[in-house]
Amino acid sequence: MRPTLLLLRLFIAWLVLAVVACIWENLVLLWQIGGGALLFAMLVDAFTLPRRGRITGKRSLPGRFALGVESPVTLTVTHAASRTLNLELFDGIPTAAEAVDLPCRVTIPPGEYAALSYQARFLRRGQHVFTPAHVLATSAFGLWKNRHFVAGESETRAYPNYEPVVRFAMLAMANRVEQMGIVKRRRMGASLDFHQLRDYQDGDVLSRIDWKATSRRSTLVSRDYEETRNQTILLVPDCGRRMRALDGGLSQFDHCLNAMLLIAFIALRQGDEVGVVGFGGVQRWLPPVKGAHSMPKLLNHLYNYEASNEPSDFIEAAERVMTLQRRRALVILLTNLRSEDGATLASAVAAMQRRHLVLTATLREQELEQRAAASIDHLQDALQYGALTHYFGERRQLMESLRARRVLTVDESAQMLPVALANKYLDVKAGGLL
């Protein structure tokens, strides 16, 4: 039980009256009557507070939360008191979440309930726990409040933001993937397997006409091909400390996870299998899985990946890939390259290229590009611009050295990485490089 602001104001007024009564003795009786009345009101009002267990509630959570995306949470509160209750509620949200609509106030008549909804947004992936909600109930005269705990604990998970994946699926159903910037590549023969024979249709390429079947049936017959399937895509995310840098409100590691989800969805949809090998403080391994039904398995494996405080060791990553993945695969290394990575990265890529096709996807810091594009007004701005120019030059040299070694590369900002990586994967499939 705690006093309200109204009670504190009344008590302060009574103290002021006591000071005045010390000056004018005629007010002493009034001060005594006022004190007695206030004490009596406090005692009577304390008995109007609802007892423990008279206020109950339950919490309704969405099936899953997406990182950085607001999702509704509903608290349903009821009470067994015989009068109308004025309540103040604050849900026990996890430390990794935020909600701008809390605390909230509600008035509940006897025999009724209140369903309160607010938007919660998680700032960190993983498994989280909502603790019991705090409810402050006000007494009849408004002099006291007491606290109740309702709704109990609720476990939930915050997954990477898979909105680009859902958006791609919806556009793909409408045959409009180009609206995302993902370009459907013209398939070359090297990446296609024979599927079946069918009747010739207007627009078929003449090279696909099966002349032996045509001579037997006395009508044009075309060969039908399907894209090569059962290939392996191995995602190798850098979980080291360099990926902890924030970019647009999310860490670079979270942006990498978003790109991984999109490329995994496309690959599984095309009949390929997808595996995951973490490095840089995270020694986790998901053997390649296949089929669109495997997407939830990938989500459950990736949702609690976190960037560690350890350095990124590309040699270690190459050794793990060569040990765990025996079959030839497209190895997609997702990181944020630095100029000092040249020697170790070259050795690691060379080791993996003996068996696999390697694609290095690196993130560009959008904040650094914005600083480089800002106007130069002072000496400090000029020095900063010079340092950034030197940094970008070293980065370009590193990417050119990788291309010279015939390593596939993607160098994009965090926001554009998912689409750029998807287009690169489709290029690999179209060219039959794998």
Side-chain angles (χ1 to χ4, degrees), residues 104 110 148 158 186 212 255 272 357 428:
C104 55
H148 300 257
R186 182 179 178 85
K212 291 184 179 180
H255 286 294
D272 291 336
L357 178 65
V428 171

Side-chain angles (χ1 to χ4, degrees), residues 6-28:
L6 174 60
L7 178 56
L8 294 177
R9 288 174 177 172
L10 291 174
F11 186 73
I12 292 174
W14 181 71
L15 291 178
V16 171
L17 183 59
V19 174
V20 175
C22 292
I23 302 174
W24 290 285
E25 295 183 359
N26 295 334
L27 297 179
V28 172

